[in-house]
Amino acid sequence: MRYWFPYPLLSFALMVFWLLINQSLSIAQILLGAALGISHAWLMVNLRPSKTHTKKAWLVARLAGQVTVDVARSNLAVMRAILRSKRRPVRSGFIAIDITLRDENSIALLACILTATPGTAWIEFDSQTRVLLLHVLDIENGPTWADLIRTHYEAPLKELFE
Amino acid sequence: MTELFIIWSILGSQIILGLAMGCALFRMVKGPRAQDRILGLDALYINGMLLLLTFGIRTANTIYFESALIIALLGFVSSIAFSKFLMRGEVIE
Amino acid sequence: MSHLTDLPLWAAIPVCLLLLAGSIVTLIGSIGLLRLKSFYSRLHAPTLGASAGVIMICLASMLCFAVLQNRWIFHEVLIIVFIILTTPVTLMLLGQSALYRDRIEEKDGVPRKTTPDLPTPETETP
């Protein structure tokens, strides 16, 4: 089973995308989408991505909720910072954080979360020293950014994938 | 009353998105360095894609959706290619 | 433009509000692209339009088409997913290449390689 369907979730997602693009739920389109999804999962085998598994689905939901709330809050904060930047210049700067995550996929997920949040941008990650360089738009509350990233994202990711 | 309201708000949001495209275009033309120009281009295509979506709402035509999807995909690829070029292009020089 | 008159009031109000809010958020992001002074702080600005703006305008489009054509297939979800997946990748690569270029030119205010101590946060003057 695992041999014939190497990445079932990827195949399913590709099929859903195919159906959404075609805007139909007919049998023919479902069969075509399933064929496309399974054949593209076969292509994915040649890339040999490192696999990451988790069994705690409710933690994923909690992390997603946390990210949504943080992104919304950060959106408002960045809007305020931009609008008042004429009167009060924004103090931005780099911060460096030690990352203890080992799994590559969870580091990639952390990068996407941090960059999708408007207030923070992922600049560089040194895989030898495991130091992450971030740029923060509003650095006024300086040391709390590191704590926030550790408690909000790093700890749940660690609990999820390791 | 309702139709007037919705037509004017669609027009207003189109004008606002046009202004946003203007800001991004200004950054792209003026940008002191190459990475500023790429950032401006990136913002420009996202704003243009949103403008196409509002045109789609206004005319109830799904062809605008298709073109917005294509812009989203090709814009991503072009920004990635540009920033890769910034990183690798100077190594050769 | 005749089809828009068929939109009932309960759907028209959220569509209008979402459209206006999304475009205003996008405009603020683009204004940030103009106003902020250093490249790294400008890197934050397009995320506004890419996250909140895209979600709001796509939601408006979804709602409008769903009510008008009675078609509950949300293919605007595709745009939301694509943009949210791809924008962080673009910005990450762009930030990395900008850092690389700044390090080659040895600009001030840019963290050096292999130095554990932090540079003091730069203050921007308008």
Side-chain angles (χ1 to χ4, degrees):
Chain A
M1 200 64 185
R2 206 68 187 169
Y3 179 76
W4 289 106
F5 304 105
Y7 298 100
L9 210 61
L10 177 75
S11 303
F12 182 73
L14 280 172
M15 193 186 79
V16 169
F17 269 40
W18 178 259
L19 293 179
L20 273 174
I21 284 181
N22 283 299
Q23 302 177 44
S24 80
L25 276 176
S26 62
I27 299 291
Q29 297 289 0
I30 290 177
L31 281 179
L32 199 52
L36 276 176
I38 291 166
S39 58
H40 281 81
W42 271 86
L43 291 181
M44 194 72 183
V45 173
N46 290 332
L47 294 178
R48 292 195 193 88
S50 63
K51 286 194 175 187
T52 305
H53 289 288
T54 182
K55 294 210 163 52
K56 304 165 186 160
W58 61 277
L59 272 177
V60 178
R62 209 180 66 183
L63 183 65
Q66 179 82 64
V67 170
T68 313
V69 170
D70 282 351
V71 166
R73 204 181 289 153
S74 167
N75 261 308
L76 290 176
V78 170
M79 263 192 266
R80 226 174 293 136
I82 286 173
L83 287 181
R84 69 170 186 221
S85 67
K86 230 174 197 144
R87 280 169 286 139
R88 198 149 67 89
V90 186
R91 274 172 56 86
S92 62
F94 293 94
I95 54 174
I97 299 174
D98 287 320
I99 292 289
T100 52
L101 286 174
R102 291 284 150 194
D103 187 30
E104 280 183 8
N105 287 331
S106 51
I107 290 176
L109 189 57
L110 181 68
C112 281
I113 290 172
L114 285 181
T115 315
T117 312
T120 52
W122 177 284
I123 301 289
E124 193 194 41
F125 178 65
D126 193 340
S127 55
Q128 260 91 49
T129 55
R130 309 204 76 80
V131 172
L132 158 68
L133 192 64
L134 277 178
H135 189 269
V136 178
L137 184 63
D138 200 357
I139 210 165
E140 298 284 274
N141 39 3
T144 57
W145 275 106
D147 296 338
L148 188 135
I149 286 161
R150 282 217 186 84
T151 55
H152 278 195
Y153 307 128
E154 199 188 348
L157 280 174
K158 203 162 192 169
E159 199 179 346
L160 263 177
F161 294 121
E162 288 174 18
Chain B
M1 184 57 206
T2 314
E3 54 264 41
L4 208 64
F5 182 55
I6 190 165
I7 284 169
W8 275 103
S9 64
I10 289 179
L11 197 64
S13 76
Q14 280 175 343
I15 290 172
I16 293 171
L17 283 175
L19 282 177
M21 280 178 83
C23 293
L25 190 66
F26 183 76
R27 180 50 72 193
M28 194 175 107
V29 171
K30 189 193 160 222
R33 309 194 62 206
Q35 53 260 42
D36 292 294
R37 292 177 207 271
I38 296 172
L39 196 64
L41 181 68
D42 195 74
L44 184 69
Y45 83 75
I46 288 179
N47 294 349
M49 190 203 72
L50 292 178
L51 190 62
L52 274 180
L53 278 178
T54 56
F55 271 112
I57 296 176
R58 191 166 157 178
T59 56
N61 199 340
T62 43
I63 201 78
Y64 285 108
F65 163 76
E66 316 274 343
S67 43
L69 195 61
I70 290 172
I71 287 180
L73 285 179
L74 289 188
F76 163 66
V77 175
S78 72
S79 301
I80 290 284
F82 275 131
S83 46
K84 267 309 213 200
F85 174 73
L86 278 192
M87 227 184 308
R88 297 281 172 239
E90 288 199 343
V91 177
I92 300 169
E93 276 181 13
Chain C
M1 227 191 274
S2 57
H3 75 285
L4 284 176
T5 52
D6 302 336
L7 208 61
L9 188 65
W10 62 266
I13 289 176
V15 166
C16 292
L17 287 182
L18 280 172
L19 269 179
L20 286 175
S23 49
I24 285 172
V25 169
T26 312
L27 179 64
I28 290 175
S30 300
I31 287 175
L33 211 58
L34 282 188
R35 272 196 187 171
L36 298 174
K37 291 301 170 192
S38 77
F39 170 76
Y40 295 103
S41 50
R42 280 199 284 267
L43 200 60
H44 300 280
T47 335
L48 272 179
S51 60
V54 168
I55 288 175
M56 283 183 193
I57 289 181
C58 283
L59 277 181
S61 171
M62 264 188 227
L63 187 64
C64 182
F65 282 116
V67 173
L68 276 181
Q69 305 180 348
N70 206 6
R71 174 182 65 102
W72 296 93
I73 301 175
F74 301 131
H75 61 316
E76 279 87 356
V77 172
L78 277 180
I79 288 186
I80 297 182
V81 169
F82 276 139
I83 290 291
I84 286 189
L85 284 185
T86 57
T87 311
V89 180
T90 313
L91 294 181
M92 246 183 281
L93 265 179
L94 207 53
Q96 246 171 25
S97 57
L99 187 72
Y100 175 76
R101 284 173 61 119
D102 282 347
R103 273 179 182 159
I104 281 188
E105 295 174 11
E106 295 182 342
K107 282 206 159 191
D108 295 334
V110 175
R112 294 267 87 82
K113 193 96 180 162
T114 67
T115 42
D117 56 324
L118 276 176
T120 50
E122 64 200 292
T123 312
E124 290 179 357
T125 46

